[in-house]
Amino acid sequence: MRQLSPFSRKDITIRLLANGVECRPTVTGNFVKNEVIKYLDYEVRGTLTDAEYIDGKGFFVGNHQFDIGLLLKQLRAVLPSAVSSNVTPLF
């Protein structure tokens, strides 16, 4: 999502889910926030600004081991209305 988007990740994912498009938060976002990090030997250099941005605003539209061509067409059809500022949030 763009920084100046008038919608939150929650707004968009609720609209996509309501239209049958599976999505979920990005699981990698800022990986150093992950509990498993305590088992790893790592070093952070600089800031993790982009990782924080993805962690807070990113979402994932699924992938499968089978052809999802029809599902991608459904996403393409639904996405314009899901991001339209004229659409009332569904919550």
Side-chain angles (χ1 to χ4, degrees):
M1 298 197 29
R2 295 186 175 151
Q3 257 185 353
L4 298 178
S5 172
F7 305 106
S8 69
R9 172 175 58 192
K10 182 177 180 180
D11 294 336
I12 299 298
T13 57
I14 286 173
R15 291 172 180 177
L16 291 175
L17 291 168
N19 285 283
V21 177
E22 292 183 35
C23 55
R24 58 195 55 84
T26 305
V27 294
T28 53
N30 184 350
F31 193 75
V32 298
K33 290 172 126 180
N34 193 311
E35 189 68 22
V36 73
I37 202 74
K38 65 185 175 187
Y39 301 108
L40 303 174
D41 182 21
Y42 71 98
E43 184 177 324
V44 175
R45 295 177 188 221
T47 63
L48 300 174
T49 306
D50 293 336
E52 282 295 325
Y53 182 81
I54 292 169
D55 197 59
K57 296 195 180 252
F59 64 92
F60 178 76
V61 176
N63 191 0
H64 293 282
Q65 69 277 11
F66 53 85
D67 182 5
I68 61 168
L70 291 177
L71 297 172
L72 292 174
K73 286 181 183 177
Q74 180 182 359
L75 172 62
R76 178 178 275 171
V78 167
L79 200 53
S81 64
V83 298
S84 169
S85 61
N86 298 323
V87 176
T88 303
L90 300 174
F91 56 96

